Amino acid sequence: MKHLHILLLTFLMAVAATAAGQTLWEAVPETKYEVRAVWLTTIGGIDWPRSHDAVKQREELTTTLDRLKQAGINMVLIQARVRATTIYPSSFEPWDGCLTGKPGKSPGYDPLQLCIEECHKRGMECHAWVVTIPVGKWNNLGCKQLRQKYPRLIKHIGEEGYMDPEQSQTGDYLAKMCREIVRNYDVDGIHLDYIRYPETWLKLRKGESRSQRIAFITDIVRKIRQSVKEEKPWVKLSCSPIGKYDDLRRYRSGGWNARTTVSQDAQAWLRDDLMDALFPMMYFQGNNFFPFAIDWKEQSHGRIVAPGLGIYFLDPREGKWTLPVVERQMHVLRQLGLGHTYFRSKFFTDNTRGIYDFGSRFDATPTLIPPMTWSGKQAPKAPTALSLTDGSLSWSGAYDTSGAPYLLYNIYASNQYPVDTDNPRNLVATRLTATSLKVPEGNNLFYAVTAMNRYGIESPAIQQKGNHSTAQIARQKIQVSTGQPIVLPSKGQVLDADYIIVESMTGQQIAVSPYTTHLSVDNLPDGMYSLRSLGKKGRTHRLGYFTIKR
C-alpha cells in the first residue's frame, strides 16, 4: 500500500499542476527506458495503406515511419492479421483487401517485411499485431474460407464470425499462425488483439463459471506463448486488454472491464510469465483513467505496460477531447514509470489538435525499450576499438551469447568524460545495427558505445575520449543553460538566416522559430541539442550545440 500512496500523491500533484496551467517539464522524471508506441491500423487502410498502388504504398509507409521516428516513437504495432486475412504471404489465410482492393490478391511485395526493415533502419521495434478471435463478416473471404476448413470452429453472431475460444482448436490454430510469423520474419514482438470473449457472446450457460471462461482464454495465450518462445525466445508477447482490469475498491469499472466482463486475466498473464508486455486500451478520462493506470502499474510484476491513449477523441468527428486531456495523461503515465501508445497512427501524424507537436516535445530525447530482465539472459560483451575520424564514429562489434542473430548498439555523448551512460540525457542514438555512425564534427563531445542484445540487455560501455576529427570546422561553443534563453551568434555571421531550428542530437527537429538574438528554451526538457539556421533559399548552417541542465 505504501507504493500506492506514493503513486496517488504523484498523480494528484501532476493533475493539480496541469489544471493550473503550469508546465510539468521539471516535474516529469527523466527516463532512459520508456515504450513510446503507436498502433498502425491496416483494416480498410484507415492508417495505411491509403492507396492500392504498390509504389505509393511504400512511399506512404516510409513517410509515416519518418514522421513517427521524428516524434520519438520507438515501437510500431502494425496490424498483420486483420480479419482472418493478412498483409503478408501466409500459408493459412488469404491476403487482405486493403492492399489491392481485392481480397485474396497479392500486392506483389511483402508489406510486413517492408515495415520490419524500415522500422529497424530507424531504430524502432516492429511488432506484428494479430487480431485473434474476430474473423470478419460472415460471407467475407477470410471468414468464409476459415469456416469451410473448420466448420464447427466459427460462431455466427449477428453479421460477424468469431473463433470459438472454448474449442482447443482455436488456440492451436492461432499458435500456428503466430509461429509462422515469428519463424519467417525478424519481428520484435507478437501483439495479440481481441484475445477475449466478444461482448456479443451469449450469457453464461447453465453450470458454466467465469473462471472457466478465463481458463479458456488463458489456454489460448499459453499455446501462443509456447509457439513464439520455441522459435525465438527474445520476441515479446503482448496484448491489448480492456483498459480497466476490474473493479477497484474505490472506483468501479462501469460494467466494462478485462477480467470479469470478457475473461481477459491480463495481470495474471504478466505474473505467470505468459506475457512480456501489456498495452491496455485506456480510452477514458479522469477517474476512469488515472486510478486504473495506477492499478496497471501496481500489478505490472516488473513487466512492460504502455497504456493506449484514445487520441482519436481529439478529432471533432470522434469526440470532444481537448489536447490538455491527453497531455495530463502522458505526464502522469511518465510519473508512474509507464509508457504510452497512441491509438491510432493517422490521428497522431495528422497532428490532430496539436498532438504530434506536443508528443514531439514530450518525447524529444531518445529512450530505450525496457529490457526483458526476466529472461535471465546475460549482457553481451562491450564493443571494442572505438575511434572517431573525420566525423565518423566506429567500433568493433561485441560478442553475444543470447542466441539472437545480431546485436544492436546505443550511442551516448557528453561534454564530460567519462560519459555517464546511466544519464538518459546522454543517450543520442539507439538500436543501431551498423558499427559506425556519422556524427557532427567540431562539437568537442565525448562518446561512449554499448552493445545490446535482442532482449534489450546492455553491455558495459566503451569510452572514447576527446574529439580527434582531422577536419575541424569552426563552431560556436556549447552553451549550458539552466533554463535561461540561449544567446545566439550575430545574424551577420551566418549569411541569410531567417529561422533557427532546434534539433536533437540524432537530427530530430524539435522546434522552429524566427531568428532572434535569444532563443527561449522554456518548452524544452533537459538535454543536449543542435542549432541550425535556415535561410530564404533553403540553405542551412550548423551554428553549434547547447545543453539544458536545470
Side-chain angles (χ1 to χ4, degrees):
M1 293 299 294
K2 177 182 178 182
H3 294 296
L4 181 59
H5 290 157
I6 294 172
L7 293 173
L8 282 168
L9 180 61
T10 299
F11 154 59
L12 292 172
M13 292 174 60
V15 172
T18 52
Q22 300 171 354
T23 179
L24 278 181
W25 283 124
E26 294 185 23
V28 176
E30 294 175 330
T31 178
K32 179 176 172 178
Y33 299 104
E34 183 177 71
V35 168
R36 302 164 177 178
V38 64
W39 279 289
L40 184 62
T41 309
T42 60
I43 187 169
I46 56 176
D47 284 338
W48 177 87
R50 308 296 293 173
S51 166
H52 292 148
D53 179 84
V55 174
K56 291 182 179 179
Q57 287 177 11
R58 292 172 180 267
E59 294 173 352
E60 290 169 1
L61 182 61
T62 54
T63 298
T64 296
L65 296 179
D66 281 341
R67 290 272 289 164
L68 295 176
K69 174 63 177 177
Q70 290 165 6
I73 297 297
N74 57 18
M75 181 186 291
V76 174
L77 311 170
I78 183 168
Q79 195 172 28
R81 187 197 192 214
V82 186
R83 292 293 188 275
T85 51
T86 66
I87 65 161
Y88 62 91
S90 172
S91 61
F92 296 99
E93 295 179 345
W95 288 96
D96 189 76
C98 70
L99 300 164
T100 62
K102 297 180 180 180
K105 183 179 178 180
S106 169
Y109 74 104
D110 188 336
L112 179 57
Q113 180 65 28
L114 175 66
C115 189
I116 294 168
E117 291 176 354
E118 294 298 326
C119 283
H120 288 177
K121 286 179 185 177
R122 292 161 177 78
M124 300 189 290
E125 286 197 0
C126 185
H127 293 222
W129 164 10
V130 176
V131 180
T132 56
I133 301 299
V135 291
K137 300 291 183 183
W138 189 252
N139 288 315
N140 281 3
L141 182 62
C143 180
K144 186 175 181 179
Q145 287 193 4
L146 193 57
R147 60 189 175 85
Q148 286 173 346
K149 291 180 183 177
Y150 309 101
R152 297 183 180 180
L153 188 61
I154 310 302
K155 290 284 189 180
H156 194 177
I157 304 177
E159 298 180 354
E160 306 287 328
Y162 296 88
M163 301 189 78
D164 187 347
E166 297 179 5
Q167 294 195 40
S168 61
Q169 194 174 35
T170 293
D172 296 337
Y173 180 84
L174 291 171
K176 289 177 182 177
M177 284 211 70
C178 292
R179 185 186 293 273
E180 178 185 58
I181 295 172
V182 174
R183 177 176 292 172
N184 295 339
Y185 295 94
D186 187 22
V187 290
D188 299 288
I190 293 291
H191 176 64
L192 305 179
D193 187 18
Y194 221 109
I195 186 73
R196 59 183 174 88
Y197 273 78
E199 53 269 34
T200 50
W201 201 263
L202 296 175
K203 294 182 179 179
L204 287 171
R205 298 187 304 272
K206 186 176 181 179
E208 183 184 31
S209 67
R210 295 192 184 279
S211 61
Q212 285 178 306
R213 286 195 169 184
I214 289 173
F216 284 132
I217 299 297
T218 299
D219 185 61
I220 297 173
V221 172
R222 185 176 289 107
K223 288 178 177 179
I224 293 174
R225 177 176 178 79
Q226 182 176 353
S227 70
V228 168
K229 298 298 182 176
E230 283 179 352
E231 290 292 329
K232 296 173 183 175
W234 59 87
V235 171
K236 298 179 182 70
L237 184 64
S238 69
C239 75
S240 50
I242 301 300
K244 302 171 185 177
Y245 173 68
D246 213 336
D247 290 337
L248 303 178
R249 181 173 298 180
R250 294 184 58 188
Y251 298 93
R252 312 297 290 179
S253 63
W256 183 238
N257 60 63
R259 187 180 189 277
T260 300
T261 308
V262 295
S263 307
Q264 281 182 316
D265 204 2
Q267 291 181 356
W269 298 342
L270 292 183
R271 181 196 65 211
D272 297 339
D273 197 32
L274 295 179
M275 288 273 174
D276 300 300
L278 296 180
F279 299 81
M281 299 181 292
M282 301 193 68
Y283 310 149
F284 316 111
Q285 293 190 54
N287 287 341
N288 286 312
F289 181 92
F290 298 109
F292 294 92
I294 293 171
D295 180 55
W296 287 116
K297 173 62 178 180
E298 284 287 288
Q299 304 301 324
S300 62
H301 299 282
R303 307 295 171 99
I304 298 168
V305 179
L309 304 175
I311 64 168
Y312 61 96
F313 285 125
L314 295 172
D315 188 320
R317 295 166 296 182
E318 300 282 347
K320 297 182 180 180
W321 285 19
T322 59
L323 184 60
V325 170
V326 182
E327 290 179 352
R328 284 193 290 272
Q329 292 179 350
M330 292 175 67
H331 281 300
V332 171
L333 290 178
R334 183 164 289 175
Q335 289 277 2
L336 296 176
L338 301 175
H340 51 269
T341 310
Y342 298 111
F343 185 77
R344 49 189 176 77
S345 174
K346 190 173 187 299
F347 292 103
F348 183 62
T349 55
D350 282 355
N351 199 27
T352 307
R353 290 191 188 270
I355 182 61
Y356 183 88
D357 291 339
F358 171 76
S360 299
R361 296 192 302 271
F362 190 76
D363 294 334
T365 53
T367 56
L368 300 175
I369 306 294
M372 298 169 66
T373 52
W374 51 91
S375 70
K377 297 298 179 181
Q378 294 183 345
K381 301 295 184 181
T384 58
L386 180 62
S387 64
L388 178 63
T389 305
D390 295 334
S392 180
L393 190 70
S394 61
W395 58 93
S396 295
Y399 177 69
D400 183 32
T401 59
S402 70
Y406 55 86
L407 287 170
L408 303 162
Y409 299 95
N410 303 316
I411 313 301
Y412 299 80
S414 174
N415 56 1
Q416 296 182 343
Y417 181 86
V419 179
D420 181 1
T421 57
D422 291 325
N423 186 341
R425 285 178 287 180
N426 294 337
L427 184 61
V428 296
T430 63
R431 296 180 58 84
L432 301 179
T433 55
T435 55
S436 64
L437 178 71
K438 294 293 291 184
V439 297
E441 295 184 78
N443 56 31
N444 298 316
L445 293 176
F446 304 101
Y447 290 97
V449 179
T450 63
M452 185 172 71
N453 62 27
R454 298 294 296 278
Y455 296 87
I457 300 172
E458 270 191 301
S459 74
I462 182 173
Q463 300 275 348
Q464 176 268 331
K465 186 174 181 179
N467 187 337
H468 304 299
S469 171
T470 59
Q472 295 291 331
I473 300 176
R475 301 283 187 244
Q476 298 294 322
K477 291 183 178 180
I478 296 175
Q479 300 182 49
V480 178
S481 171
T482 60
Q484 299 301 313
I486 296 292
V487 179
L488 300 179
S490 170
K491 183 175 177 179
Q493 299 177 1
V494 291
L495 303 177
D496 59 326
D498 290 340
Y499 297 93
I500 189 75
I501 301 172
V502 179
E503 296 178 344
S504 70
M505 294 303 292
T506 55
Q508 175 188 341
Q509 184 174 302
I510 306 300
V512 178
S513 63
Y515 199 101
T516 59
T517 56
H518 291 76
L519 174 69
S520 173
V521 297
D522 290 345
N523 291 326
L524 296 177
D526 287 6
M528 188 173 294
Y529 300 91
S530 168
L531 283 176
R532 284 185 179 274
S533 65
L534 176 65
K536 295 178 181 178
K537 297 180 181 179
R539 295 172 180 166
T540 67
H541 302 272
R542 188 178 300 280
L543 304 179
Y545 306 85
F546 67 92
T547 298
I548 303 175
K549 189 175 182 181
R550 294 180 175 87

